[in-house]
Amino acid sequence: LCRALRLREEQPEQPGWERLREEAEEARRELRELVRPLREPGYRQELRRKVEKARKRRLRLQRRKQEAKAAKEEEAARAAEREAKIDQWRAKCIQEVEEKNRERELKAAADSVLSEVRKKQADTKRMVDILRALEKLRKLRKEAAGRKGVCPPPSADEAFETQVESLKTLLKSRTELYEAEERALRVMLEGEQEEERKREMEKKQKKEREKLLQQKLEIDSKLFGDPDEFPLAHLLQPFREYYLQAEHSVAALIQIR
């Protein structure tokens, strides 16, 4: 507007000059109104205060945002850790159930085989009893026939004795075989029971060791701080190493005491 007025100030009679002058006056009034607060005392201090307040508010919002992000990440890490522990516990439970099922199936199979062997032994014993009863029955019938004057030929006695001895030998071999199978099955069952007792003992000892280790970690945490919170380079670490060396050396224990 000023440049336009300067160009036309030599010829004020041209049309539009008054309009430009009025616009320039209006613009000057607006500028005066805008710069008026800048000339008031204390305006710069107030402006600096507002800028500093806005800056602090901006930093505070950024800090809250970062804290919320860190808390969210920490919660996500804790959730992932909980999920991992749950998965580990679930896998452990499934493994224990599968082991128990396998042991139960093996024991059931062994019991079934043992029951079958005992059934065979009972059948063999019954066959032996039947054979003895047949021998006794033939003896009684032979005596009854002798009292009537009827005597069987010697060849019949020999054939009967030969057949009976053959059956006795067969039953004896089967009895020995079944007894050997029973002993083997009993040894296997006892071995399985011993393994099961050993596993139970190992589980119990493992739980005791974990319990003692947890107690030791809690004691160390109370005495020396949380290892996650206080890293190895922490100021207390040399003292911790000094006192813990007593666990590995009797001389160090005596010196510390």
Side-chain angles (χ1 to χ4, degrees):
L1 288 173
C2 289
R3 282 197 301 271
L5 286 172
R6 290 192 186 97
L7 290 174
R8 295 186 179 187
E9 65 182 356
E10 297 178 356
Q11 298 176 354
E13 67 277 1
Q14 292 183 0
W17 189 86
E18 285 294 334
R19 181 177 57 79
L20 289 174
R21 186 178 65 80
E22 291 176 359
E23 292 179 359
E25 288 292 338
E26 182 66 23
R28 184 172 64 176
R29 284 194 297 270
E30 292 179 0
L31 289 174
R32 282 179 178 176
E33 192 65 25
L34 288 173
V35 299
R36 183 178 57 80
L38 297 176
R39 296 173 180 175
E40 294 179 359
Y43 179 79
R44 293 182 180 180
Q45 290 77 4
E46 182 66 19
L47 187 62
R48 289 195 186 97
R49 188 183 67 79
K50 290 182 178 180
V51 171
E52 184 65 19
K53 183 178 180 181
R55 187 183 67 84
K56 289 181 178 180
R57 182 174 179 275
R58 192 163 55 250
L59 292 176
R60 186 167 60 253
L61 293 176
Q62 291 178 357
R63 185 169 61 252
R64 289 180 180 177
K65 186 177 180 180
Q66 292 175 355
E67 290 176 355
K69 183 179 179 181
K72 187 176 180 180
E73 292 177 353
E74 185 178 358
E75 180 61 26
R78 285 198 297 267
E81 185 177 359
R82 287 195 299 268
E83 289 293 332
K85 289 182 178 179
I86 291 172
D87 293 339
Q88 184 179 4
W89 174 79
R90 187 184 295 113
K92 183 179 179 182
C93 292
I94 293 174
Q95 184 179 0
E96 290 178 355
V97 171
E98 289 178 352
E99 288 180 357
K100 289 182 179 179
N101 289 335
R102 283 196 298 269
E103 292 174 1
R104 192 181 299 110
E105 291 175 358
L106 181 61
K107 186 176 180 181
D111 291 340
S112 177
V113 176
L114 183 60
S115 176
E116 186 68 24
V117 170
R118 288 176 177 174
K119 183 180 178 181
K120 291 179 181 179
Q121 288 178 337
D123 292 340
T124 304
K125 185 178 180 182
R126 186 168 60 253
M127 292 172 68
V128 171
D129 294 338
I130 292 173
L131 189 60
R132 289 175 181 173
L134 286 174
E135 288 180 326
K136 186 175 181 180
L137 178 62
R138 188 178 188 280
K139 182 180 178 181
L140 293 174
R141 287 184 176 180
K142 185 179 179 181
E143 292 176 354
R147 287 194 295 270
K148 294 179 181 180
V150 179
C151 296
S155 59
D157 292 338
E158 291 178 0
F160 181 78
E161 293 294 335
T162 302
Q163 189 67 24
V164 168
E165 289 298 328
S166 175
L167 290 174
K168 285 183 178 180
T169 303
L170 178 61
L171 293 175
K172 183 179 179 182
S173 63
R174 287 190 177 182
T175 301
E176 293 175 353
L177 177 62
Y178 296 153
E179 289 178 354
E181 290 182 0
E182 183 181 8
R183 287 195 297 270
L185 287 173
R186 287 187 179 278
V187 170
M188 186 178 68
L189 289 175
E190 289 177 359
E192 288 295 327
Q193 292 175 357
E194 183 65 26
E195 288 293 330
E196 185 175 357
R197 286 194 295 269
K198 187 183 294 185
R199 285 193 292 269
E200 291 295 332
M201 183 61 67
E202 289 178 354
K203 288 181 182 178
K204 185 176 181 181
Q205 291 176 354
K206 184 178 179 181
K207 288 182 180 179
E208 290 294 332
R209 287 195 300 269
E210 291 177 353
K211 183 178 180 181
L212 292 175
L213 180 61
Q214 184 64 30
Q215 291 178 354
K216 183 178 182 299
L217 291 176
E218 291 177 359
I219 293 173
D220 290 345
S221 176
K222 292 177 181 178
L223 292 176
F224 306 108
D226 190 357
D228 297 332
E229 184 178 357
F230 298 95
L232 296 178
H234 194 266
L235 181 62
L236 294 177
Q237 184 60 25
F239 301 96
R240 186 172 184 270
E241 292 178 352
Y242 173 76
Y243 284 104
L244 288 181
Q245 67 179 343
E247 297 182 358
H248 309 287
S249 173
V250 178
L253 174 62
I254 295 174
Q255 181 183 357
I256 292 172
R257 291 299 174 89

